[in-house]
Amino acid sequence: MLSKSDTPIEQYFPVFANTGVNVAFLVPTETGYAKSIMDATAPVRELLQTEKVHNYQAQKQGPENKVVVPAYFVTRAGRIKTSASLYRPVTKNGDPRIWFRDLKKYCHPYNLLALIVIKDGIYVFNLSDPAISESVLDINGIAREIISEARYVKNAIAKELLDKIQKIHDKGYLKSITPGDPGVGDTLENALGIKRNNSKNPDYKGIELKTTRTTKGGHKRTQTRETLFARVPDEGLKYREIVETYGKIQIPRDSDTPRLQLYETCRISRPNAYNLQLSVQEEQDRLQLIYSEVNVSKYVSGWMLTNLKDALLLKHHETFWVEAASIKRMDGEYFQYNKILHTKEPNVSLFVPLLEEGKITVDLAAHINPETGKWRDHGMLFKMFPEDLPLLLGSPQVYIL
């Protein structure tokens, strides 16, 4: 739908990227404009969920379940208060909808609208209006000041989260609430009052939390790669089909039962032990997984590079990488959270070069029980070593607690 906009969008990317403010774009069509209804596109839904304004997935269908939230139109003079209706109709599978009261007074069909959130209010910028556009691009413009206000609020959230983790650190070692590797993250989120979930959205008011051990059982731990995000291929063989086709029967160390498994890192530079290798086809906007051996190269699956970059921006727009020391006691494992690496605004233009240099790799981690057919996977994981994160995530702030 953005391709139908009457205004080029590219010139506005640096404004929102440099300020670190989450943004979503909307383009009202003639039909939607006439009916006072617009599709809440995936970026809009993600923005509202990330900023804790609204979760369409949890919303029931029908007018009685409509949610109305505060909203503001940004004008050349400041802001005008309005409201936004968020709902899912009974028809058309309940596709998410959004509409702003008095929108017809503010824009025309095919205008480019930018949406940001400040606290619980949605702010609408009509970038097709020359006065608003100029005010956004001008560092001293009123519209730019409102975007800076959103940045200030986001900085306040980071300070709030930092203060909370500092208090958790000051309590000393906390007993893990979950056995094994998930415990280091689950214990911190539990201490912060965050309920465990499988959402792809950031954990704390728009900030992603990533936790890792620096010691295990009191001993310094070998450095491990950090997971940037998980994403299954967009095309080709599905994850299970990849394991069924290229996996190997092996007996895991903690069991006597053989299983068909594929636990291996994939990179561009060379095939792995399963003869699987990555290949970038940038002109086709694809990262490919190929089967490669002597005189044989076969396409397996592929990701759209655009989707991978979007996943990175969604997951790590702002991230706290938290390090924890671990000790073992008679009743289990304990953690103390001692250091934070605070990153913002991934440089997505470097995503492909870092793949080609082997700084970003993809881990396949899945197995099938041949007897029961039971399937288990840990996702297809895009990873980097901690010391390489600044190459992608810019100059981080380091907090020693």
Side-chain angles (χ1 to χ4, degrees), residues 28-245:
T29 64
E30 290 181 355
T31 302
Y33 188 82
K35 293 183 177 180
S36 298
I37 188 172
M38 289 188 291
D39 290 334
T41 60
V44 172
R45 299 196 300 272
E46 291 165 358
L47 172 70
L48 299 186
Q49 186 168 347
T50 296
E51 299 292 346
K52 309 300 182 185
V53 173
H54 183 66
N55 183 355
Y56 278 102
Q57 289 183 331
Q59 186 176 24
K60 295 182 180 179
Q61 294 175 235
E64 67 276 12
N65 297 305
K66 178 175 68 176
V67 173
V68 178
V69 301
Y72 301 85
F73 295 133
V74 177
T75 70
R76 65 194 70 190
R79 65 195 85 187
I80 298 175
K81 188 170 184 179
T82 181
S83 60
S85 299
L86 314 172
Y87 57 100
R88 297 179 60 214
V90 176
T91 57
K92 294 187 177 181
N93 300 316
D95 293 340
R97 304 283 194 246
I98 186 170
W99 184 254
F100 297 92
R101 181 170 53 87
D102 294 331
L103 184 67
K104 292 180 180 179
K105 298 178 181 179
Y106 183 68
C107 72
H108 300 285
Y110 303 112
N111 281 179
L112 177 63
L113 307 180
L115 276 55
I116 69 171
V117 172
I118 302 178
K119 296 182 179 178
D120 294 328
I122 305 173
Y123 284 69
V124 184
F125 300 75
N126 184 356
L127 299 178
S128 295
D129 182 329
I132 303 303
S133 173
E134 182 180 346
S135 185
V136 167
L137 297 173
D138 180 0
I139 195 169
N140 296 313
I142 291 177
R144 186 67 162 266
E145 289 180 3
I146 293 173
I147 296 172
S148 297
E149 180 183 337
R151 181 181 187 178
Y152 174 83
V153 171
K154 287 187 69 65
N155 288 342
I157 292 172
K159 178 66 166 56
E160 174 185 290
L161 179 56
L162 177 61
D163 290 344
K164 286 189 175 185
I165 298 178
Q166 179 68 63
K167 290 178 181 177
I168 292 170
H169 162 85
D170 294 344
K171 291 179 181 179
Y173 281 88
L174 301 182
K175 185 179 179 181
S176 178
I177 67 167
T178 308
D181 289 339
V184 63
D186 290 348
T187 303
L188 177 60
E189 291 187 4
N190 180 69
L192 288 167
I194 300 172
K195 294 181 180 180
R196 189 175 185 183
N197 62 75
N198 294 320
S199 171
K200 296 180 180 179
N201 295 296
D203 300 304
Y204 187 88
K205 299 181 181 181
I207 300 177
E208 177 72 6
L209 281 168
K210 299 291 290 184
T211 50
T212 187
R213 296 178 178 90
T214 53
T215 66
K216 188 171 184 179
H219 301 287
K220 188 173 178 62
R221 192 182 187 201
T222 303
Q223 190 179 46
T224 58
R225 289 166 300 141
E226 296 281 5
T227 299
L228 296 171
F229 59 87
R231 187 176 177 91
V232 296
D234 299 310
E235 57 186 26
L237 295 184
K238 294 179 171 33
Y239 200 174
R240 179 164 182 150
E241 293 171 336
I242 295 172
V243 176
E244 290 173 339
T245 305

